[in-house]
């Protein structure tokens, strides 16, 4: 009999995040094992998810700055887009919490995280030097531009089918043959 490792706050948060990423429905799953043990209430879990998002975004911003990009504003927009694509389900949860917060504490946490994200984006873009109101406004505009581009990309992806890769074509041929192999065909 194999011993399973005891759950930890980090492993439970990882399981919650994985479930959110798989479902992509904008809801926080509550049926994860040991969730009640490590997260005292929905605010505690929301705080942890917001921290995960903020950490991913700032890491994406830092990665973008490593090569000393010529257009830092463009780099910030692409860093937000990358983070939102990587954590699409989590971003959907955060957007849902922003639109419909279940408690005042969650509403405050979402607002605070957004303001910190925006200021960090403005600073990374070289358009601000501190976490102040002007930086927050600039960063908010950068996020709105990133969201606009994401929406354009999604609209394009819906209209144009993705090009099929060689392996995908081969798999389709094999699957098609295995499905039709059991079907008797009339002989000529």
């Amino acid at each position: 009999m194999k011993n399973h490792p005891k759950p930890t706050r980090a492993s439970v948060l990882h399981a919650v995040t994985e479930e959110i990423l798989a479902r992509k429905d904008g809801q926080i799953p509550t049926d994860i094992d040991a969730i009640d043990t490590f997260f005292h209430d929905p605010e505690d879990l929301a705080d942890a998810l917001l921290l995960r998002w903020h950490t991913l975004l700032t890491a994406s911003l830092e990665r973008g700055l490593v090569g000393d990009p010529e257009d830092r504003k463009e780099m910030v927009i692409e860093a937000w887009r990358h983070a939102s694509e990587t954590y699409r389900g989590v971003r959907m949860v955060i957007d849902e919490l922003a639109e419909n917060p279940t408690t005042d504490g969650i509403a405050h946490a979402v607002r605070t995280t957004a303001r910190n994200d925006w200021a960090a984006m403005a600073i990374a873009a070289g358009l601000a030097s501190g976490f102040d109101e002007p930086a927050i406004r600039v960063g908010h505009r950068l996020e709105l531009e990133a969201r606009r581009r994401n929406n354009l990309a999604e609209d394009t992806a819906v209209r144009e089918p993705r090009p099929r890769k060689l392996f995908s074509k081969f798999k389709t041929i094999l699957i098609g043959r295995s499905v039709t192999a059991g079907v008797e065909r009339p002989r000529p």
Side-chain angles (χ1 to χ4, degrees):
M1 180 182 219
K2 192 174 185 178
N3 288 337
H4 294 286
K6 288 186 178 182
T8 63
R9 182 175 168 97
S11 67
V12 172
L13 181 59
H14 179 75
V16 168
T17 304
E18 289 299 312
E19 185 65 22
I20 288 171
L21 294 174
R23 292 182 3 192
K24 294 181 185 165
D25 62 0
Q27 301 301 311
I28 298 175
T30 55
D31 57 345
I32 304 295
D33 288 338
I35 197 168
D36 294 336
T37 304
F38 294 100
F39 296 97
H40 307 297
D41 55 28
E43 287 181 28
D44 189 21
L45 183 53
D47 286 344
L49 288 170
L50 287 165
L51 181 59
R52 275 260 166 120
W53 161 257
H54 181 74
T55 303
L56 179 74
L57 177 60
T58 54
S60 188
L61 292 170
E62 288 173 7
R63 261 192 313 278
L65 289 172
V66 167
D68 194 25
E70 193 171 307
D71 188 346
R72 290 176 63 172
K73 179 180 169 186
E74 186 63 26
M75 179 280 303
V76 167
I77 291 167
E78 290 306 312
W80 192 94
R81 292 183 69 206
H82 173 75
S84 70
E85 183 59 32
T86 302
Y87 255 29
R88 174 177 246 145
V90 173
R91 189 66 242 176
M92 290 172 71
V93 167
I94 293 169
D95 291 344
E96 177 61 28
L97 291 174
E99 288 289 319
N100 303 303
T102 53
T103 67
D104 290 339
I106 288 176
H108 176 72
V110 171
R111 276 193 310 273
T112 301
T113 300
R115 293 170 63 85
N116 288 333
D117 289 349
W118 296 333
M121 291 168 67
I123 291 168
L127 302 173
S129 59
F131 279 67
D132 54 14
E133 286 303 316
I136 290 166
R137 285 192 298 274
V138 168
H140 187 213
R141 285 195 299 271
L142 292 170
E143 180 182 318
L144 292 174
E145 175 59 20
R147 285 178 183 272
R148 185 188 71 78
R149 291 184 190 180
N150 279 355
N151 288 338
L152 289 175
E154 287 173 7
D155 290 345
T156 303
V158 169
R159 283 190 222 118
E160 297 176 18
R162 286 183 163 168
R164 293 174 61 185
K165 296 195 170 117
L166 181 61
F167 181 73
S168 177
K169 288 178 185 177
F170 183 68
K171 189 169 106 177
T172 302
I173 291 169
L174 284 177
I175 291 171
R177 285 188 181 157
S178 66
V179 169
T180 58
V183 177
E184 237 181 89
R185 294 188 183 141
R187 295 181 188 231

